[in-house]
Amino acid sequence: PADTSRHVSVQGYTDNLVNPCVPGTYRFLDKVVTEVAKMYRAAGAPLNRINLGGDEPPGPPEGWWSGSPACQADPETAGKSGEELADLFFTKWNRIALKAARTTAGWEDATAPDRALRLKNFAPLAWQNVWGWGREDWAYRFANEGTPVILAHATNLYMDLAYNKDPDEVGYYWAAYVDEKSTFTYQPFDVYANAAEDRWGNPFTPDPRWERLTEKGRANILGLEAQLWGENGKTPQTREYQAFPKLLGVAERAWNRRTPSPERMPEAWNVFSNTLGQVAFPLLSFYRPVGLPGETGVNYRVPLPGGRISGGTLTANVRNPGMTVEYSTDGTRWRTYTGPAAVGAYALTRTRAADGRTSRISPVDVPAWRNGASYARGAVVTHQGELYRAARPSTGRAPDLSPDAWIPVR
């Protein structure tokens, strides 16, 4: 209670940093590990690795426990810097975890490659490789020095990042936009080959000073770990949407160490994309999850189609062959797209999955609502990012303020 240390996490929390100078910290961790080990023994399952956590301690190191009377009073910790106290904590925490598991892991922050601390039987999870942020080569520096490492690169393996730059896509964008192409084309042994653009979509050139993975270091890449952080996945359906089909791309990269070269990757991607649309998606549509009675099918993201109109004729396609594209000019009557179709000035398109679900609507040249313009019944407009259809002839108020005249199209 007398601790005056102040630290605020990226998420705004002020109490997510345990005190390494309090004996109760280690009693609590020992209790957790002991109980988890009991669960594994009861299930007859091996407990091979425990994750120690350790990423993003809040605030600058000089603020970590600087106001803790317990740290100042204990001869073992008195006078130590925030980083030295963190090293002491992870050394003790690792020792506790190894009583229950053969190995441990944790975020790369715990043992940075430019610092001396190395933990017994510990594998860092290299995650923070955002292009231009300064930690792009940490995974390879660990591996080249002989430290086993697990790749968890945010630019390609964080499934809670949004599929693309669309306000209707759930997820963050702090590291990149991540879709199934991002995960499938990931280059574990040459991650800089994925650094074609920064997180804003601007062209990016890898720094020639970044350390490259050596042949000896390659043997220290234990595998991949894909992350799905839950703070913006509030429902099981949302989390399935974020995970699939991204997770299928991760699986392809993780199970086979013979990753196609950047030159051969386009061909491999074409095969994978075809397989998704014609085989994997139909299977996922009718897969019955274990332990969820009555639930059938995975809520994977149905890809949006792309379209263009020239001379009143619509041409459209979808990323994954084998899926059905539909189009409409009023949002109520939908037709199956089988080839170039006469639609007029604009159209709405969507993709239909094997289970009957449809993607979000993808508008093609739909005009924005204009104040004072006349609209016939059935006309479609965009307004403030939403689609509306005129329920009757209208020249009146904005669609979002006229529910009697405009109907949302979804």
Side-chain angles (χ1 to χ4, degrees):
D3 191 345
T4 60
S5 306
R6 298 183 62 85
H7 34 71
V8 181
S9 74
V10 173
Q11 296 81 12
Y13 292 105
T14 59
D15 58 354
N16 67 333
L17 199 61
V18 298
N19 193 322
C21 310
V22 177
T25 294
Y26 304 104
R27 287 198 298 270
F28 170 77
L29 293 172
D30 187 81
K31 176 64 173 176
V32 170
V33 165
T34 300
E35 294 301 322
V36 170
K38 288 179 182 177
M39 295 178 191
Y40 272 76
R41 285 196 297 271
L47 179 54
N48 294 322
R49 192 182 298 273
I50 291 177
N51 190 315
L52 307 182
D55 68 317
E56 297 185 334
E62 53 268 22
W64 301 343
W65 313 291
S66 59
S68 168
C71 291
Q72 297 163 5
D74 188 340
E76 184 183 23
T77 57
K80 290 187 180 295
S81 68
E83 289 182 334
E84 289 171 331
L85 290 173
D87 288 353
L88 176 66
F89 167 76
F90 282 114
T91 300
K92 291 185 175 183
W93 176 202
N94 191 61
R95 193 178 301 136
I96 291 170
L98 288 177
K99 292 193 299 183
R102 295 186 300 106
T103 60
T104 57
W107 302 108
E108 63 186 0
D109 314 50
T111 58
D114 54 358
R115 296 177 55 228
L117 178 67
R118 294 295 179 269
L119 301 173
K120 181 182 178 182
N121 296 344
F122 174 85
L125 289 153
W127 65 277
Q128 216 280 59
N129 71 312
V130 182
W131 313 124
W133 281 18
R135 283 162 57 169
E136 299 87 347
D137 65 351
W138 275 27
Y140 295 165
R141 290 169 65 181
F142 279 126
N144 290 345
E145 74 175 22
T147 298
V149 64
I150 299 169
L151 301 178
H153 284 141
T155 56
N156 294 76
L157 300 176
Y158 270 44
M159 297 186 297
D160 57 301
L161 297 178
Y163 279 90
N164 53 43
K165 190 177 182 180
D166 188 317
D168 288 325
E169 287 289 356
V170 63
Y172 294 132
Y173 59 89
W174 60 266
Y177 294 103
V178 173
D179 62 8
E180 69 273 21
K181 189 171 185 178
S182 307
T183 58
F184 181 83
T185 60
Y186 175 60
Q187 293 283 340
F189 304 117
D190 184 15
V191 69
Y192 312 141
N194 295 121
E197 57 184 36
D198 65 17
R199 62 188 181 131
W200 305 117
N202 301 311
F204 187 84
T205 302
D207 191 327
R209 295 172 297 178
W210 293 345
E211 188 169 326
R212 291 200 165 269
L213 184 66
T214 64
E215 194 61 35
K216 186 177 179 180
R218 184 177 175 126
N220 293 316
I221 302 295
L222 298 183
L224 315 181
E225 180 175 295
Q227 281 62 234
L228 178 56
W229 303 99
E231 62 262 44
N232 56 24
K234 303 300 184 184
T235 67
Q237 291 79 10
T238 299
R239 292 190 288 274
E240 285 186 354
Y241 180 95
Q242 292 178 301
F244 292 94
K246 298 178 191 180
L247 188 58
L248 303 181
V250 176
E252 285 290 321
R253 290 286 67 79
W255 78 272
N256 184 358
R257 294 180 74 89
R258 296 190 297 274
T259 305
S261 67
E263 294 75 24
R264 297 187 59 189
M265 188 60 79
E267 178 185 358
W269 162 251
N270 285 338
V271 173
F272 178 72
S273 181
N274 269 271
T275 304
L276 280 182
Q278 302 189 62
V279 179
F281 284 158
L283 289 175
L284 289 176
S285 288
F286 299 103
Y287 172 76
R288 184 178 294 276
V290 175
L292 295 176
E295 293 286 335
T296 300
V298 174
N299 188 44
Y300 60 87
R301 179 182 184 268
V302 180
L304 277 66
R308 70 190 329 179
I309 294 174
S310 178
T313 299
L314 169 72
T315 54
N317 63 12
V318 65
R319 167 180 275 185
N320 306 107
M323 307 195 78
T324 300
V325 175
E326 299 178 338
Y327 69 97
S328 173
T329 55
D330 60 7
T332 61
R333 293 166 294 182
W334 291 88
R335 300 176 178 87
T336 299
Y337 178 85
T338 57
V343 294
Y346 62 83
L348 305 173
T349 63
R350 68 186 186 187
T351 305
R352 183 173 292 277
D355 56 12
R357 292 186 304 120
T358 58
S359 70
R360 297 196 312 276
I361 293 174
S362 181
V364 184
D365 295 346
V366 173
W369 175 81
R370 291 187 296 114
N371 189 18
S374 297
Y375 294 97
R377 182 175 181 273
V380 178
V381 298
T382 63
H383 181 64
Q384 296 185 347
E386 302 291 340
L387 288 165
Y388 294 89
R389 175 173 53 84
R392 56 179 172 78
S394 175
T395 58
R397 300 168 67 194
D400 58 326
L401 302 176
S402 307
D404 58 330
W406 293 95
I407 302 171
V409 178
R410 295 187 173 89

